[in-house]
Amino acid sequence: MAAAVSDAEARLLTVRAEARARLASLTRDVAHLVVARQDSNSDDEHDPEGATLAWDQAQAASLMGQARQQIDEVDAALVRLSAGTYGRCEQCGRPIGSERLAARPAARRCIECESAHARFTRGTQAG
């Protein structure tokens, strides 16, 4: 059991380190884009490069948000690991499959509950 916890913790810490590195890289990219936009023509409507810089900045900001979310999810998984609830579905309480945890170490729900959650979320967004 202790080896499984140690392996899970190592996996989670690796995922968090990768997400933090990605976030740092994207933060540098956005800083460079801000400087590039300041040095370029500010008329995005008529400047093809201006529109590209704006799109690049928006894309990087979106990716930064995803990296922050992944860090938050891993931190929550580490809390569950410390509490002894890691690997159990937060919704139904059944074990989360080892294959799912290998693919998504910060998974909160088993595949069945996650599928139901995704269907519900899509349904509420469509309406």
Side-chain angles (χ1 to χ4, degrees), residues 21-55:
R22 192 168 56 255
L23 180 59
S25 175
L26 288 163
T27 300
R28 287 188 301 274
D29 291 349
V30 167
H32 291 251
L33 289 168
V34 167
V35 170
R37 285 190 75 189
Q38 289 171 347
D39 293 340
S40 72
N41 182 352
S42 63
D43 184 6
D44 283 356
E45 182 179 340
H46 299 98
D47 180 10
E49 184 62 21
T52 300
L53 291 172
W55 186 89

Side-chain angles (χ1 to χ4, degrees), residues 13-14 36 38 40 52 66 68 71 78 80 87-88 92 109 112 118 120:
L13 292 174
T14 298
Q38 289 171 347
S40 72
T52 300
Q66 290 173 8
R68 284 187 190 103
I71 292 165
L78 288 166
R80 291 192 304 277
R88 298 206 76 71
C92 72
R109 292 182 276 276
E112 293 84 9
F120 175 77

Side-chain angles (χ1 to χ4, degrees), residues 59-103:
Q59 182 71 12
S62 176
L63 293 171
M64 288 171 67
Q66 290 173 8
R68 284 187 190 103
Q69 181 179 359
Q70 186 175 29
I71 292 165
D72 291 345
E73 290 171 0
V74 168
D75 287 345
L78 288 166
V79 169
R80 291 192 304 277
L81 191 66
S82 293
T85 59
Y86 178 80
R88 298 206 76 71
C89 179
E90 289 184 348
Q91 192 165 338
C92 72
R94 292 184 305 223
I96 298 172
S98 59
E99 297 84 11
R100 178 160 172 73
L101 288 173

